[in-house]
Amino acid sequence: MAYQSTVYEGLVKIRLIKMYGTNTLGLGMIGYIMMCYGTSQLAMLLIIEKLQKRLKPVVFVLKGFLVTQGLLLVLYIWEPRSDSVYSILGFMSLWGAVDAVWQSQVQGILVSSAVRKEPAVICYRVCQGVGLCVVFFSSIVLSLLYKVCLIGSTLVLGVIGYLVMEVSNNPVTPQENRAFSV
C-alpha cells in the first residue's frame, strides 16, 4: 500500500496537473489547483485525526478504496474543458482528500505494526521514492489507460494485503451462545 499511495501521488503530480492544469486551464491555474489539492488534504488529515478515535482504520481504507476506484474511473472517462474550472478544482480537492486518507493510513499501519518506528518510516519513504520514480519514468512510455490500470491493480493488491494483515492481527473470536431470555 505504501508503493500504491506513492504511485497514486505521482500520477497527480505529473498527469493530472498536465492534463487538467496546463493543457486545459492554462499555466496560471496550477497554483490554484495545487492549493485546492493541499488544502483539502490538510482538512481531511484533521478530520481523520478526530475520527480515528471512534473508527477503525479498516473503515478509512475501504472508503478510500471505493473513492479512489471511482476517481480513477472518472479520470479515464472525463475530458476536461476550459469552462469547467470549478469541476476541475473540485476533482483535485477530492483527489487531495483521498490522498490524505492513504498517506495517513499507510503511515499509521507501518508505524503501528513495526517494532522500531524509525526504520518503518524510512521504509515508507523509500517506497515513496521508488513509486515516484516508477511514475515519472513510466510517463514517458505509458498512456493514461495503462497508468490507471497499474494504479487500480496495485490498489486492489494493497487493500487485499491490508485486509489479510488486519484479519491475521485481529482474529475474530466467536461469542458463546446465550439462551434467549425475555
Side-chain angles (χ1 to χ4, degrees):
M1 279 178 51
Y3 173 76
Q4 181 275 330
S5 71
T6 318
V7 170
Y8 185 75
E9 181 184 357
L11 179 74
V12 168
K13 288 181 178 171
I14 288 182
R15 193 65 176 190
L16 292 183
I17 302 258
K18 178 183 174 191
M19 201 165 90
Y20 295 157
T22 56
N23 291 352
T24 304
L25 299 177
L27 196 58
M29 288 298 289
I30 290 181
Y32 295 112
I33 290 173
M34 291 308 293
M35 195 169 24
C36 287
Y37 178 82
T39 304
S40 66
Q41 191 175 28
L42 175 64
M44 183 55 80
L45 283 171
L46 294 173
I47 291 170
I48 288 172
E49 183 182 345
K50 296 294 182 190
L51 290 178
Q52 275 184 331
K53 297 172 185 162
R54 295 188 181 104
L55 299 173
K56 292 186 176 186
V58 70
V59 173
F60 295 110
V61 170
L62 292 178
K63 286 186 179 185
F65 171 74
L66 294 175
V67 173
T68 303
Q69 292 293 8
L71 284 174
L72 289 173
L73 183 66
V74 168
L75 174 67
Y76 181 67
I77 293 173
W78 184 35
E79 293 281 332
R81 295 185 318 257
S82 61
D83 61 343
S84 57
V85 174
Y86 296 116
S87 300
I88 292 171
L89 293 177
F91 182 77
M92 292 303 290
S93 296
L94 189 58
W95 200 278
V98 172
D99 188 39
V101 170
W102 288 120
Q103 296 288 334
S104 66
Q105 296 309 307
V106 168
Q107 193 164 3
I109 290 166
L110 284 175
V111 169
S112 67
S113 64
V115 177
R116 294 179 18 210
K117 308 295 184 216
E118 293 83 16
V121 173
I122 291 170
C123 176
Y124 176 65
R125 296 298 178 199
V126 167
C127 287
Q128 275 188 322
V130 169
L132 286 173
C133 287
V134 167
V135 169
F136 287 134
F137 289 128
S138 69
S139 68
I140 299 168
V141 180
L142 297 178
S143 68
L144 180 63
L145 173 64
Y146 292 119
K147 285 183 191 174
V148 168
C149 291
L150 175 73
I151 290 174
S153 61
T154 56
L155 177 65
V156 168
L157 291 175
V159 169
I160 289 172
Y162 169 74
L163 291 175
V164 166
M165 184 185 78
E166 187 72 27
V167 168
S168 66
N169 288 345
N170 303 320
V172 177
T173 56
Q175 295 179 349
E176 61 185 52
N177 291 332
R178 290 185 260 166
F180 181 75
S181 63
V182 178

PDB file of all heavy atoms in Angstrom, residues 72-90:
ATOM      1  N   LEU A  72     -10.441   7.065 -10.271  1.00  0.00           N
ATOM      2  CA  LEU A  72      -9.687   6.524 -11.406  1.00  0.00           C
ATOM      3  C   LEU A  72     -10.595   6.320 -12.613  1.00  0.00           C
ATOM      4  O   LEU A  72     -10.196   6.581 -13.756  1.00  0.00           O
ATOM      5  CB  LEU A  72      -9.007   5.210 -11.019  1.00  0.00           C
ATOM      6  CG  LEU A  72      -7.834   5.337 -10.054  1.00  0.00           C
ATOM      7  CD1 LEU A  72      -7.360   3.963  -9.623  1.00  0.00           C
ATOM      8  CD2 LEU A  72      -6.701   6.122 -10.686  1.00  0.00           C
ATOM      9  N   LEU A  73     -11.817   5.886 -12.363  1.00  0.00           N
ATOM     10  CA  LEU A  73     -12.774   5.724 -13.458  1.00  0.00           C
ATOM     11  C   LEU A  73     -13.127   7.072 -14.077  1.00  0.00           C
ATOM     12  O   LEU A  73     -13.138   7.229 -15.296  1.00  0.00           O
ATOM     13  CB  LEU A  73     -14.031   5.019 -12.951  1.00  0.00           C
ATOM     14  CG  LEU A  73     -15.094   4.720 -13.988  1.00  0.00           C
ATOM     15  CD1 LEU A  73     -14.567   3.702 -14.988  1.00  0.00           C
ATOM     16  CD2 LEU A  73     -16.347   4.214 -13.316  1.00  0.00           C
ATOM     17  N   VAL A  74     -13.378   8.059 -13.224  1.00  0.00           N
ATOM     18  CA  VAL A  74     -13.667   9.406 -13.723  1.00  0.00           C
ATOM     19  C   VAL A  74     -12.471   9.966 -14.481  1.00  0.00           C
ATOM     20  O   VAL A  74     -12.620  10.607 -15.527  1.00  0.00           O
ATOM     21  CB  VAL A  74     -14.072  10.341 -12.556  1.00  0.00           C
ATOM     22  CG1 VAL A  74     -14.094  11.795 -12.989  1.00  0.00           C
ATOM     23  CG2 VAL A  74     -15.425   9.939 -12.015  1.00  0.00           C
ATOM     24  N   LEU A  75     -11.285   9.714 -13.972  1.00  0.00           N
ATOM     25  CA  LEU A  75     -10.063  10.192 -14.623  1.00  0.00           C
ATOM     26  C   LEU A  75      -9.947   9.656 -16.044  1.00  0.00           C
ATOM     27  O   LEU A  75      -9.556  10.380 -16.955  1.00  0.00           O
ATOM     28  CB  LEU A  75      -8.845   9.776 -13.804  1.00  0.00           C
ATOM     29  CG  LEU A  75      -7.482  10.066 -14.397  1.00  0.00           C
ATOM     30  CD1 LEU A  75      -7.244  11.558 -14.463  1.00  0.00           C
ATOM     31  CD2 LEU A  75      -6.404   9.396 -13.585  1.00  0.00           C
ATOM     32  N   TYR A  76     -10.302   8.401 -16.219  1.00  0.00           N
ATOM     33  CA  TYR A  76     -10.187   7.810 -17.551  1.00  0.00           C
ATOM     34  C   TYR A  76     -11.308   8.282 -18.482  1.00  0.00           C
ATOM     35  O   TYR A  76     -11.073   8.524 -19.666  1.00  0.00           O
ATOM     36  CB  TYR A  76     -10.196   6.280 -17.461  1.00  0.00           C
ATOM     37  CG  TYR A  76     -10.057   5.650 -18.807  1.00  0.00           C
ATOM     38  CD1 TYR A  76      -8.869   5.780 -19.512  1.00  0.00           C
ATOM     39  CD2 TYR A  76     -11.106   4.974 -19.395  1.00  0.00           C
ATOM     40  CE1 TYR A  76      -8.726   5.236 -20.766  1.00  0.00           C
ATOM     41  CE2 TYR A  76     -10.972   4.420 -20.647  1.00  0.00           C
ATOM     42  CZ  TYR A  76      -9.782   4.548 -21.326  1.00  0.00           C
ATOM     43  OH  TYR A  76      -9.663   4.012 -22.576  1.00  0.00           O
ATOM     44  N   ILE A  77     -12.502   8.476 -17.961  1.00  0.00           N
ATOM     45  CA  ILE A  77     -13.657   8.804 -18.814  1.00  0.00           C
ATOM     46  C   ILE A  77     -13.764  10.291 -19.102  1.00  0.00           C
ATOM     47  O   ILE A  77     -14.076  10.699 -20.221  1.00  0.00           O
ATOM     48  CB  ILE A  77     -14.962   8.306 -18.141  1.00  0.00           C
ATOM     49  CG1 ILE A  77     -14.963   6.780 -18.095  1.00  0.00           C
ATOM     50  CG2 ILE A  77     -16.175   8.801 -18.888  1.00  0.00           C
ATOM     51  CD1 ILE A  77     -16.113   6.210 -17.308  1.00  0.00           C
ATOM     52  N   TRP A  78     -13.517  11.136 -18.113  1.00  0.00           N
ATOM     53  CA  TRP A  78     -13.817  12.558 -18.197  1.00  0.00           C
ATOM     54  C   TRP A  78     -12.805  13.295 -19.063  1.00  0.00           C
ATOM     55  O   TRP A  78     -11.604  13.165 -18.917  1.00  0.00           O
ATOM     56  CB  TRP A  78     -13.821  13.147 -16.796  1.00  0.00           C
ATOM     57  CG  TRP A  78     -14.214  14.586 -16.710  1.00  0.00           C
ATOM     58  CD1 TRP A  78     -15.130  15.238 -17.468  1.00  0.00           C
ATOM     59  CD2 TRP A  78     -13.688  15.540 -15.801  1.00  0.00           C
ATOM     60  NE1 TRP A  78     -15.221  16.543 -17.079  1.00  0.00           N
ATOM     61  CE2 TRP A  78     -14.347  16.757 -16.052  1.00  0.00           C
ATOM     62  CE3 TRP A  78     -12.755  15.496 -14.787  1.00  0.00           C
ATOM     63  CZ2 TRP A  78     -14.083  17.904 -15.333  1.00  0.00           C
ATOM     64  CZ3 TRP A  78     -12.496  16.640 -14.064  1.00  0.00           C
ATOM     65  CH2 TRP A  78     -13.158  17.827 -14.341  1.00  0.00           C
ATOM     66  N   GLU A  79     -13.303  14.108 -19.952  1.00  0.00           N
ATOM     67  CA  GLU A  79     -12.486  15.002 -20.781  1.00  0.00           C
ATOM     68  C   GLU A  79     -12.710  16.429 -20.273  1.00  0.00           C
ATOM     69  O   GLU A  79     -13.758  17.010 -20.516  1.00  0.00           O
ATOM     70  CB  GLU A  79     -12.921  14.921 -22.250  1.00  0.00           C
ATOM     71  CG  GLU A  79     -12.644  13.603 -22.912  1.00  0.00           C
ATOM     72  CD  GLU A  79     -11.195  13.466 -23.324  1.00  0.00           C
ATOM     73  OE1 GLU A  79     -10.556  14.490 -23.594  1.00  0.00           O
ATOM     74  OE2 GLU A  79     -10.715  12.326 -23.354  1.00  0.00           O
ATOM     75  N   PRO A  80     -11.761  17.005 -19.566  1.00  0.00           N
ATOM     76  CA  PRO A  80     -11.972  18.349 -19.028  1.00  0.00           C
ATOM     77  C   PRO A  80     -11.956  19.412 -20.134  1.00  0.00           C
ATOM     78  O   PRO A  80     -11.260  19.273 -21.134  1.00  0.00           O
ATOM     79  CB  PRO A  80     -10.798  18.536 -18.073  1.00  0.00           C
ATOM     80  CG  PRO A  80      -9.752  17.628 -18.588  1.00  0.00           C
ATOM     81  CD  PRO A  80     -10.456  16.470 -19.211  1.00  0.00           C
ATOM     82  N   ARG A  81     -12.772  20.449 -19.911  1.00  0.00           N
ATOM     83  CA  ARG A  81     -12.814  21.581 -20.838  1.00  0.00           C
ATOM     84  C   ARG A  81     -12.411  22.834 -20.080  1.00  0.00           C
ATOM     85  O   ARG A  81     -12.416  22.874 -18.863  1.00  0.00           O
ATOM     86  CB  ARG A  81     -14.228  21.731 -21.392  1.00  0.00           C
ATOM     87  CG  ARG A  81     -14.678  20.560 -22.238  1.00  0.00           C
ATOM     88  CD  ARG A  81     -16.041  20.836 -22.866  1.00  0.00           C
ATOM     89  NE  ARG A  81     -16.970  21.472 -21.946  1.00  0.00           N
ATOM     90  CZ  ARG A  81     -17.954  20.842 -21.330  1.00  0.00           C
ATOM     91  NH1 ARG A  81     -18.126  19.567 -21.498  1.00  0.00           N
ATOM     92  NH2 ARG A  81     -18.766  21.499 -20.523  1.00  0.00           N
ATOM     93  N   SER A  82     -12.083  23.860 -20.800  1.00  0.00           N
ATOM     94  CA  SER A  82     -11.605  25.084 -20.158  1.00  0.00           C
ATOM     95  C   SER A  82     -12.698  25.817 -19.394  1.00  0.00           C
ATOM     96  O   SER A  82     -12.404  26.626 -18.524  1.00  0.00           O
ATOM     97  CB  SER A  82     -10.992  26.010 -21.206  1.00  0.00           C
ATOM     98  OG  SER A  82     -11.963  26.364 -22.162  1.00  0.00           O
ATOM     99  N   ASP A  83     -13.977  25.540 -19.675  1.00  0.00           N
ATOM    100  CA  ASP A  83     -15.051  26.213 -18.953  1.00  0.00           C
ATOM    101  C   ASP A  83     -15.486  25.459 -17.688  1.00  0.00           C
ATOM    102  O   ASP A  83     -16.371  25.914 -16.982  1.00  0.00           O
ATOM    103  CB  ASP A  83     -16.256  26.442 -19.866  1.00  0.00           C
ATOM    104  CG  ASP A  83     -16.853  25.146 -20.391  1.00  0.00           C
ATOM    105  OD1 ASP A  83     -16.160  24.106 -20.329  1.00  0.00           O
ATOM    106  OD2 ASP A  83     -17.998  25.180 -20.864  1.00  0.00           O
ATOM    107  N   SER A  84     -14.862  24.334 -17.396  1.00  0.00           N
ATOM    108  CA  SER A  84     -15.223  23.559 -16.207  1.00  0.00           C
ATOM    109  C   SER A  84     -14.191  23.739 -15.093  1.00  0.00           C
ATOM    110  O   SER A  84     -13.676  22.779 -14.537  1.00  0.00           O
ATOM    111  CB  SER A  84     -15.379  22.084 -16.572  1.00  0.00           C
ATOM    112  OG  SER A  84     -14.198  21.594 -17.153  1.00  0.00           O
ATOM    113  N   VAL A  85     -13.930  24.991 -14.753  1.00  0.00           N
ATOM    114  CA  VAL A  85     -12.909  25.316 -13.747  1.00  0.00           C
ATOM    115  C   VAL A  85     -13.294  24.752 -12.386  1.00  0.00           C
ATOM    116  O   VAL A  85     -12.479  24.109 -11.716  1.00  0.00           O
ATOM    117  CB  VAL A  85     -12.700  26.847 -13.653  1.00  0.00           C
ATOM    118  CG1 VAL A  85     -11.760  27.199 -12.527  1.00  0.00           C
ATOM    119  CG2 VAL A  85     -12.210  27.392 -14.961  1.00  0.00           C
ATOM    120  N   TYR A  86     -14.539  24.962 -11.969  1.00  0.00           N
ATOM    121  CA  TYR A  86     -14.957  24.509 -10.647  1.00  0.00           C
ATOM    122  C   TYR A  86     -14.992  22.992 -10.556  1.00  0.00           C
ATOM    123  O   TYR A  86     -14.691  22.421  -9.505  1.00  0.00           O
ATOM    124  CB  TYR A  86     -16.313  25.109 -10.275  1.00  0.00           C
ATOM    125  CG  TYR A  86     -16.252  26.608 -10.142  1.00  0.00           C
ATOM    126  CD1 TYR A  86     -16.956  27.434 -10.995  1.00  0.00           C
ATOM    127  CD2 TYR A  86     -15.460  27.194  -9.150  1.00  0.00           C
ATOM    128  CE1 TYR A  86     -16.889  28.810 -10.878  1.00  0.00           C
ATOM    129  CE2 TYR A  86     -15.386  28.562  -9.021  1.00  0.00           C
ATOM    130  CZ  TYR A  86     -16.104  29.363  -9.881  1.00  0.00           C
ATOM    131  OH  TYR A  86     -16.029  30.718  -9.756  1.00  0.00           O
ATOM    132  N   SER A  87     -15.332  22.326 -11.623  1.00  0.00           N
ATOM    133  CA  SER A  87     -15.313  20.862 -11.635  1.00  0.00           C
ATOM    134  C   SER A  87     -13.893  20.341 -11.488  1.00  0.00           C
ATOM    135  O   SER A  87     -13.642  19.376 -10.758  1.00  0.00           O
ATOM    136  CB  SER A  87     -15.922  20.326 -12.926  1.00  0.00           C
ATOM    137  OG  SER A  87     -17.243  20.752 -13.067  1.00  0.00           O
ATOM    138  N   ILE A  88     -12.960  20.971 -12.169  1.00  0.00           N
ATOM    139  CA  ILE A  88     -11.557  20.550 -12.071  1.00  0.00           C
ATOM    140  C   ILE A  88     -11.023  20.807 -10.670  1.00  0.00           C
ATOM    141  O   ILE A  88     -10.353  19.948 -10.083  1.00  0.00           O
ATOM    142  CB  ILE A  88     -10.706  21.266 -13.139  1.00  0.00           C
ATOM    143  CG1 ILE A  88     -11.095  20.780 -14.527  1.00  0.00           C
ATOM    144  CG2 ILE A  88      -9.225  21.055 -12.884  1.00  0.00           C
ATOM    145  CD1 ILE A  88     -10.478  21.550 -15.662  1.00  0.00           C
ATOM    146  N   LEU A  89     -11.329  21.964 -10.109  1.00  0.00           N
ATOM    147  CA  LEU A  89     -10.872  22.264  -8.751  1.00  0.00           C
ATOM    148  C   LEU A  89     -11.514  21.321  -7.733  1.00  0.00           C
ATOM    149  O   LEU A  89     -10.855  20.874  -6.786  1.00  0.00           O
ATOM    150  CB  LEU A  89     -11.160  23.712  -8.399  1.00  0.00           C
ATOM    151  CG  LEU A  89     -10.373  24.763  -9.197  1.00  0.00           C
ATOM    152  CD1 LEU A  89     -10.811  26.165  -8.800  1.00  0.00           C
ATOM    153  CD2 LEU A  89      -8.884  24.591  -9.032  1.00  0.00           C
ATOM    154  N   GLY A  90     -12.781  20.991  -7.913  1.00  0.00           N
ATOM    155  CA  GLY A  90     -13.451  20.029  -7.031  1.00  0.00           C
ATOM    156  C   GLY A  90     -12.867  18.633  -7.156  1.00  0.00           C
ATOM    157  O   GLY A  90     -12.674  17.939  -6.160  1.00  0.00           O
TER     158      GLY A  90
END
